[in-house]
Amino acid sequence: MTGNSASLVPTAAGMVPSHVAASAEIIPYPNSGMPKIQPALPSAWLTDPVVERARSVAASVMPTLMMILALLAVWEIACGTQDSSLPSPSRVWSESYEVIVHPLKGVSFDLSGLHIEGSGDVGIAGHILTSLERVAIGYGLSSVFGIGLGILIGQSLFAYRALDPLFQVLRTVPPLAWLPISLAIFQQAGPSAVFLIFITAIWPIILNTAAGVQNIPPTYRNVGKVLALNPVEYFLKIMLPATVPHMFTGLRIGVGMSWLAIVAAEMVQGGTGIGFFIWDSYNSSLLTDTIVALVWIGMVGFSLDRIVAWIGRRVARQN
């Protein structure tokens, strides 16, 4: 240093002039002495897997329950007057109490299977089970034939050009338009309803399966050729895994259309089934019973869609 400049000396606070270092005591920031704040750990019960699962279920279910309660409240307020043409929820409960609390009337279970009384005096669950039996037969047939035809027109250009225009025309025919033809062919209500389900549900299954086959990446097909896979191996190892999403999209649409078709067919044909129950309730001026049946139809349709979706996820994982 030169002139009046003071020399600098090193300290804990850095380089300072010597006269400052001599007259002042620099206290370093303490490394200890202040209590350290530890993050609060969650309670053991909050991290329990059962509790976490319950919270997850509640988070997914509570919004739906709140919406249902809100709709019921609005419905009750709007239709709670005596001159209302639509019954309120409280009136539905009071007038259709027996239908709601005794749905299995006339239905019995034993070692030989399920039995439903043929007299017609059965609960609403008996009609639902009768409709589900018809849906199971018709939808099962449409699934088998729909997947087979979808694979055919997806794999073969000639089959696609020959059959796709026909399928596009037939799928636009309303389900009930097939009813006179089915009655003329089968002469009975039960087989006619099954045919109506089959002819209604098969089109989305065919078209979605064909779209899945047509959209298989070329590299997948080349791998099959390189490995010299036979048709069965190619279907199980390449085609099925690649088309499962499209296939089950068609199956989910088909099961919903099956449930719609059976209700419409039974309303027209009569006899047994949930469609007959709705039409009979309407003719008997039991509007509350009709509303209960609509709730059952919605819940069963929702369940069928979720069952098919669950099967689709399991098949996709295995492939």
Side-chain angles (χ1 to χ4, degrees):
M1 299 288 179
T2 60
N4 296 329
S5 299
S7 62
L8 301 177
V9 296
T11 65
M15 302 297 291
V16 297
S18 57
H19 68 278
V20 174
S23 61
E25 180 182 3
I26 299 175
I27 302 175
Y29 187 83
N31 293 327
S32 61
M34 296 182 65
K36 295 182 179 180
I37 301 175
Q38 298 290 341
L41 297 177
S43 302
W45 70 273
L46 290 177
T47 58
D48 185 85
V50 177
V51 176
E52 291 183 353
R53 178 61 178 172
R55 293 174 62 184
S56 176
V57 172
S60 60
V61 172
M62 285 303 297
T64 303
L65 292 178
M66 294 173 61
M67 180 59 65
I68 291 175
L69 292 176
L71 290 175
L72 289 175
V74 173
W75 181 8
E76 180 69 30
I77 294 172
C79 303
T81 58
Q82 294 292 334
D83 56 347
S84 176
S85 58
L86 182 68
S88 63
S90 58
R91 182 180 164 191
V92 172
W93 173 259
S94 61
E95 295 184 5
S96 299
Y97 177 81
E98 291 295 325
V99 177
I100 296 172
V101 301
H102 298 294
L104 294 175
K105 178 183 178 182
V107 180
S108 59
F109 303 88
D110 55 27
L111 296 178
S112 61
L114 175 68
H115 304 281
I116 302 175
E117 291 185 6
S119 60
D121 187 19
V122 297
I124 191 171
H127 292 283
I128 290 286
L129 292 172
T130 301
S131 298
L132 284 175
E133 180 182 4
R134 294 167 179 165
V135 168
I137 298 172
Y139 178 69
L141 292 173
S142 66
S143 300
V144 173
F145 286 94
I147 292 174
L149 289 172
I151 293 174
L152 174 64
I153 67 174
Q155 282 286 95
S156 172
L157 181 60
F158 176 81
Y160 176 80
R161 291 174 176 173
L163 296 176
D164 183 69
L166 178 63
F167 292 162
Q168 295 293 344
V169 171
L170 294 178
R171 75 181 183 89
T172 60
V173 178
L176 287 181
W178 293 99
L179 188 58
I181 296 177
S182 63
L183 287 172
I185 295 173
F186 298 101
Q187 303 292 325
Q188 294 181 2
S192 299
V194 171
F195 173 79
L196 195 65
I197 295 168
F198 171 83
I199 204 67
T200 302
I202 194 171
W203 310 122
I205 300 175
I206 291 175
L207 298 178
N208 280 275
T209 302
V213 174
Q214 292 171 346
N215 289 326
I216 295 177
T219 54
Y220 289 15
R221 300 180 185 272
N222 295 334
V223 168
K225 294 178 181 178
V226 170
L227 297 177
L229 300 178
N230 61 47
V232 176
E233 292 174 336
Y234 177 78
F235 174 77
L236 295 176
K237 296 182 179 180
I238 294 181
M239 183 182 296
L240 183 60
T243 58
V244 160
H246 292 82
M247 187 184 300
F248 274 89
T249 298
L251 289 171
R252 289 182 66 180
I253 297 173
V255 75
M257 296 182 68
S258 297
W259 192 235
L260 294 175
I262 189 60
V263 173
E266 290 172 346
M267 289 180 68
V268 176
Q269 293 177 353
T272 56
I274 189 62
F276 166 75
F277 179 87
I278 291 176
W279 193 247
D280 184 63
S281 300
Y282 173 77
N283 289 330
S284 302
S285 299
L286 299 175
L287 190 57
T288 56
D289 287 0
T290 303
I291 294 175
V292 174
L294 294 179
V295 174
W296 270 86
I297 290 172
M299 292 190 301
V300 172
F302 174 80
S303 301
L304 292 175
D305 178 78
R306 288 297 181 267
I307 290 172
V308 176
W310 178 80
I311 295 173
R313 289 192 298 268
R314 295 296 297 270
V315 173
R317 290 196 196 104
Q318 294 177 0
N319 291 280

